[in-house]
């Protein structure tokens, strides 16, 4: 054997390779694959499992309870570290592998890196069909892992050891590429994982993946500057790309210099501090009145690192100025061209810096600034009203829970949420301090994200208070990783809001003629509907049984004490609170398109359809650049 090779199994080679990969941006170097989550079965125990024990000194291993949750944890970790570090997730074949699909979709939609390593059937087909193998009668090379293809940014099945070499390199390239990143899948046939090969030594050499900051094209920059200079009512929409690029300072400098106001998407909130004079808070269906009013009258919308989801555009109804134009600064041409925009395809920070420089001396009208500052003051009163609790001994409403939390958190705290009625309340109300504070997964809005994501964030930011805000529905979807937090001694904090079902979808259902059908957690009544008494289910006891310290709060006052105690706790701690369903959050300022039954016998759906058609009529198509 030549001195320049090392004989290892494919799984051992992969682990060694992954342990030697780094990213670098702005002079800072990090492990690209900081650790590996894993649940073992016959599809990975003898291959990757053996490799992870063999190389435990260079590759940290984390034990999860559910494969989807392990991806959520990895996503939380990657987002907290601005995509400069990811984690791998290894699973068995079959159900372990397909449990990855939801997490993979979430990662890819949110443009966050995660490396998926599902086991796969024997490349040799020697013992087909294996336990858990899907036998496709026509396409013999199909396995359940093919379900990961449409939700992966790169996919390969490693059917021979040496095929790992080019594929592992491509996988790292995609994970570290700001324009391409997302879930990356290397499916690993069980027999190949355990097979030995003489690997070239240089495969295991340290490798640094430079995370580029592409500058804008000069022609595009000139056009962008001209568009901004000629706009009378420009509005910036800050998306998640601002955070990924760590462009918050550059955005602030642009807003300071030009007076252009900044509204933010769920992913972009916190791009400016809430008390910055140009910060308008959230935009779109769950936006603030000031953001949405400005959006309706903006003549130039400047999207920075945003995908323009339907929540942001109010399903195509938000931007109503007859001559509105769009200028989109984005790392991908795909997102930059949306709404027929002028494009500025570049890194957010570099692009914003160059824009600010090229706009030197330009400032929006003083009257425009005065207009949005007055709107911002009105918005502050809306927040105060929603947060205020006059009766300390009353059961809190959900917005009062947020008010109490708002008073307790510091600038460094991270607040995580993904689904239910909380995302809307948070987008409208939360006063984001630090750029990492507002952690909303609203690309996939996946119930069950919060608890595992809190673990990933806590791993990435030891010592930082990390809060998972969780509805009762979300809790029941995926409480499993509480056990992982307990095992790893991660002092994550969970605020568990009990309102006996899906308040969010219940409200939506009512507004679209669905009569809240199937959205409350209640006993089945004599007529067959779920309208009986609330269920005698004790989620606080459930959290305690999984190892959390639990604080039950029945009143606003008790909640204040419980949250303060949880904030300094050094163990995983749950604050359990039942909320007053009568509490009203501020209403939606803009529409969201959820199509209503065109024919129905029930009056609720008929009137909902009339309202729906009036809204649809307001939709615009933006085709002029
Ligand atoms: C995995 C998943 N399934 C279904 C949905 C659709 N959905 C969105 S919010 C919601 C209800 C959430 O209930 P809960 O966590 O109790 O929050 P609440 O609505 O009561 O505030 C559902 C079913 C989803 N977002 N994710
Ligand atoms: Mg609920």
């Amino acid at each position: 054997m030549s001195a320049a090779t090392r004989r290892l199994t494919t799984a051992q080679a992969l682990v060694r390779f992954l342990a030697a990969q780094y990213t670098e941006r702005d002079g800072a170097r990090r492990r690209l694959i900081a650790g590996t989550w894993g649940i073992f079965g016959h599809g990975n125990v003898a291959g990757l499992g053996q490799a992870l024990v063999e190389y435990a000194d260079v590759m940290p291993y984390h034990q999860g309870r559910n494969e989807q949750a392990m991806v959520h944890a990895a996503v939380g970790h990657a987002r907290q570290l601005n995509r400069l570090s990811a984690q791998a997730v290894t699973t068995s074949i079959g159900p372990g592998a397909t449990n990855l699909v939801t997490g993979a979709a979430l990662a890819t939609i949110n443009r966050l890196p995660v490396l998926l390593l599902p086991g796969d059937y024997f490349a040799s087909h020697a013992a087909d069909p294996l336990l858990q193998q899907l036998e496709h009668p026509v396409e013999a090379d199909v396995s359940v892992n093919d379900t990961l293809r449409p939700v992966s940014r790169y996919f390969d099945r490693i059917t021979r050891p040496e095929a790992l070499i080019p594929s592992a390199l491509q996988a790292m390239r995609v994970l570290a590429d700001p324009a391409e990143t997302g879930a990356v899948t290397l499916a690993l046939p069980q027999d190949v994982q355990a097979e030995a090969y003489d690997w070239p030594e240089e495969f295991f050499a340290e490798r640094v993946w430079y995370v580029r900051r592409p500058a804008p094209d000069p022609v595009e920059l000139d056009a962008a500057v001209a568009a901004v200079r000629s706009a009378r009512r420009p509005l910036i929409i800050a998306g998640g790309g601002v955070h990924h690029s760590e462009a918050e300072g550059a955005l602030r400098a642009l807003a300071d210099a030009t007076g252009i106001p900044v509204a933010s998407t769920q992913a972009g909130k916190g791009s400016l501090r809430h008390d910055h004079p140009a910060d308008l808070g959230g935009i779109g269906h769950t936006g603030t009145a000031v953001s949405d009013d400005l959006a309706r009258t903006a003549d130039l919308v400047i999207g920075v690192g945003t995908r323009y989801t339907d929540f942001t555009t109010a399903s195509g109804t938000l931007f109503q100025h007859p001559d509105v134009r769009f200028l989109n600064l984005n790392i991908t041409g795909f997102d930059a061209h949306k709404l027929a925009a002028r494009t500025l395809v570049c890194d957010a920070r570099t692009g914003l810096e160059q824009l600010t420089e090229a706009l030197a001396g330009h400032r929006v009208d003083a009257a425009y600034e005065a207009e949005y500052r007055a709107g911002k003051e009105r918005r502050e009163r809306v927040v105060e009203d929603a947060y205020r609790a006059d009766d300390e001994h009353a059961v809190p409403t959900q917005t009062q829970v947020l008010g109490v939390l708002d008073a307790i958190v510091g600038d460094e705290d991270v607040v995580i949420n993904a689904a239910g009625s909380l995302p809307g309340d948070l987008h409208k109300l939360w006063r984001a301090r630090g750029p990492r504070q507002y952690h909303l997964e609203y690309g996939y809005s996946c119930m069950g994200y919060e608890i595992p994501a809190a673990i990933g964030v806590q791993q990435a930011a030891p010592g930082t208070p990390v809060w998972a805000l969780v509805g009762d529905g979300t809790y029941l979807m995926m409480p499993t990783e509480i056990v992982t937090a307990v095992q790893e001694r991660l002092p994550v904090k969970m605020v568990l809001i009990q309102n006996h079902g899906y308040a969010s979808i219940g409200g939506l259902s009512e507004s679209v003629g669905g009569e809240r059908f199937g959205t409350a957690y209640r006993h089945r009544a004599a007529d067959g509907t779920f309208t009986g008494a609330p269920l005698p289910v004790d989620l606080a006891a459930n959290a305690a049984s999984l190892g959390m310290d639990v604080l039950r709060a029945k009143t606003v006052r008790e909640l204040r004490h419980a949250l303060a105690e949880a904030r300094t706790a050094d163990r995983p701690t749950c604050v359990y609170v039942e909320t007053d369903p009568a509490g009203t959050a501020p209403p939606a300022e803009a529409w969201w398109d959820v199509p209503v039954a065109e024919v129905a016998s029930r009056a609720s759906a008929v009137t909902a359809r009339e309202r729906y058609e009036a809204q649809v009529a307001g939709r615009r198509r933006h085709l002029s650049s």
Side-chain angles (χ1 to χ4, degrees):
M1 191 174 77
S2 133
T5 62
R6 207 187 306 184
R7 191 158 178 83
L8 299 175
T9 68
T10 304
Q12 290 162 355
L14 177 58
V15 171
R16 278 238 68 102
F17 169 83
L18 293 177
Q21 308 303 308
Y22 295 84
T23 62
E24 191 182 304
R25 187 169 76 179
D26 308 326
R29 192 172 284 203
R30 288 185 176 280
R31 275 277 289 261
L32 172 51
I33 305 297
T36 299
W37 289 91
I39 293 178
F40 298 111
H42 63 95
N44 62 341
V45 68
L48 264 171
Q50 193 283 329
L52 284 167
V53 69
E54 184 121 353
Y55 293 124
D57 56 333
V58 292
M59 177 57 74
Y61 163 69
H62 313 295
Q63 188 179 48
R65 269 76 207 164
N66 172 296
E67 290 83 359
Q68 179 187 325
M70 294 195 290
V71 186
H72 293 338
V75 165
H77 175 273
R79 175 164 166 170
Q80 180 66 21
L81 296 175
N82 303 321
R83 315 196 292 193
L84 297 173
S85 180
Q87 293 174 325
V89 178
T90 167
T91 74
S92 191
I93 70 168
T98 49
N99 267 356
L100 292 173
V101 175
T102 298
L106 185 151
T108 292
I109 287 171
N110 284 289
R111 316 279 161 84
L112 291 166
V114 56
L115 177 63
L116 306 179
L117 304 171
D120 214 323
Y121 58 64
F122 286 21
S124 69
H125 289 285
D128 285 2
L130 311 184
L131 174 66
Q132 302 170 330
Q133 180 174 344
L134 173 82
E135 289 182 278
H136 194 292
V138 179
E139 298 178 47
D141 64 338
V142 163
S143 88
V144 295
N145 287 341
D146 290 285
T147 58
L148 287 161
R149 286 180 192 266
V151 288
S152 295
R153 297 292 318 215
Y154 181 79
F155 179 99
D156 198 7
R157 178 176 290 125
I158 308 299
T159 52
R160 294 179 57 82
E162 65 270 36
L164 178 68
I165 296 174
S167 225
L169 291 167
Q170 285 292 352
M172 298 302 107
R173 178 190 65 76
V174 173
L175 288 170
D177 186 327
E180 292 193 30
T181 197
V184 164
T185 303
L186 297 180
L188 301 168
Q190 237 180 285
D191 51 351
V192 178
Q193 283 181 49
E195 194 174 330
Y197 181 75
D198 295 318
W199 303 88
E201 260 314 323
E202 57 192 307
F203 184 52
F204 307 114
E206 268 189 23
R207 213 170 286 267
V208 180
W209 300 87
Y210 174 68
V211 182
R212 65 181 74 89
R213 291 188 176 280
D217 176 271
V219 174
E220 285 197 333
L221 184 63
D222 282 352
V225 169
V228 176
R229 283 190 186 277
S230 63
R232 299 198 57 80
R233 300 181 65 84
L235 170 67
I236 292 173
I237 299 181
V242 175
H243 293 311
H244 298 330
S245 162
E246 296 172 271
E248 297 90 356
L251 180 65
R252 188 173 59 242
L254 177 66
D256 286 344
T258 62
I260 300 174
V262 177
S264 48
T265 69
Q266 287 279 16
K269 205 170 138 95
S271 293
L272 285 186
R273 260 187 80 101
H274 73 95
D275 50 5
H276 188 282
D279 180 65
L280 308 180
I283 190 167
H285 176 60
T286 51
T288 63
V290 56
S291 290
D292 288 353
D293 286 348
L294 254 68
R296 287 189 188 92
T297 55
D299 58 356
L300 181 71
V301 176
I302 307 167
V304 184
T306 175
R307 300 163 48 228
Y308 284 106
T309 73
D310 61 350
F311 265 68
T312 299
T313 67
S315 300
T317 61
L318 191 59
F319 308 111
Q320 288 293 343
H321 189 291
D323 298 317
V324 63
R325 294 289 184 274
F326 297 84
L327 164 66
N328 290 339
L329 193 164
N330 206 291
I331 191 80
T332 72
F334 179 82
D335 287 321
H337 99 285
K338 286 175 178 172
L339 303 172
R342 284 174 197 278
T343 55
L344 204 51
V345 179
C346 58
D347 166 63
R349 190 164 95 185
T350 309
L352 288 168
E353 282 168 358
Q354 294 201 9
L355 207 49
T356 305
E357 200 183 318
L359 283 167
H362 175 74
R363 195 162 180 95
V364 298
D365 282 354
Y368 184 53
E369 269 184 79
E371 177 188 331
Y372 72 69
R373 287 189 187 198
K376 187 174 161 63
E377 273 167 34
R378 287 195 296 276
R379 183 243 165 175
E380 195 49 37
R381 287 196 290 278
V382 169
V383 176
E384 293 294 345
D385 284 349
Y387 281 2
R388 199 177 54 240
D390 294 329
D391 182 358
E392 282 277 291
H393 303 289
V395 172
T397 65
Q398 182 161 291
T399 59
Q400 287 169 344
V401 173
L402 297 182
V404 177
L405 186 63
D406 171 86
I408 276 167
V409 299
D411 287 7
E412 70 279 23
D413 291 40
V414 178
V415 175
I416 303 172
N417 184 244
S421 55
L422 277 163
D425 290 356
L426 287 162
H427 199 212
K428 266 184 235 135
L429 301 173
W430 189 260
R431 296 187 278 218
R433 285 88 152 175
R436 304 253 54 79
Q437 176 157 91
Y438 189 83
H439 185 129
L440 251 286
E441 187 287 292
Y442 216 62
Y444 210 41
S445 185
C446 184
M447 290 168 76
Y449 171 78
E450 296 88 345
I451 298 170
I455 290 170
V457 170
Q458 190 77 83
Q459 286 177 330
T464 299
V466 179
W467 301 85
L469 308 192
V470 175
D472 56 316
T474 279
Y475 181 84
L476 286 169
M477 189 73 75
M478 196 175 285
T480 48
E481 294 329 291
I482 287 174
V483 177
T484 306
V486 170
Q487 179 177 40
E488 298 275 1
R489 298 197 170 81
L490 296 171
V492 296
K493 299 135 196 6
M494 172 172 74
V495 182
L496 174 48
I497 295 183
Q498 171 63 281
N499 59 17
H500 302 284
Y502 303 161
S504 52
I505 306 299
L508 175 64
S509 168
E510 198 166 325
S511 73
V512 297
E515 304 178 32
R516 294 192 169 256
F517 184 74
T519 60
Y521 286 164
R522 289 177 171 272
H523 277 291
R524 196 183 279 283
D527 65 357
T529 61
F530 293 112
T531 52
L535 304 179
V537 172
D538 188 345
L539 299 184
N542 185 271
S545 79
L546 297 179
M548 277 194 132
D549 288 346
V550 176
L551 306 165
R552 294 176 189 255
K554 291 203 176 65
T555 64
V556 172
R557 188 191 166 86
E558 287 177 14
L559 180 67
R560 184 168 299 120
H561 288 129
L563 291 178
E565 190 177 332
R567 186 161 189 277
T568 55
D570 59 3
R571 291 198 73 247
T573 302
C574 165
V575 174
Y576 174 86
V577 60
E578 290 221 19
T579 50
D580 179 352
T584 48
E589 299 287 342
W591 188 54
W592 182 40
D593 188 350
V594 177
V596 175
E598 199 168 355
V599 290
S601 59
R602 299 175 76 90
S604 55
V606 174
T607 52
R609 179 71 194 188
E610 283 163 14
R611 285 197 306 274
Y612 177 75
E613 285 174 8
Q615 292 284 0
V616 170
R619 174 139 53 213
R620 288 191 57 186
R621 288 195 193 286
H622 302 285
L623 300 171
S624 310
S625 50

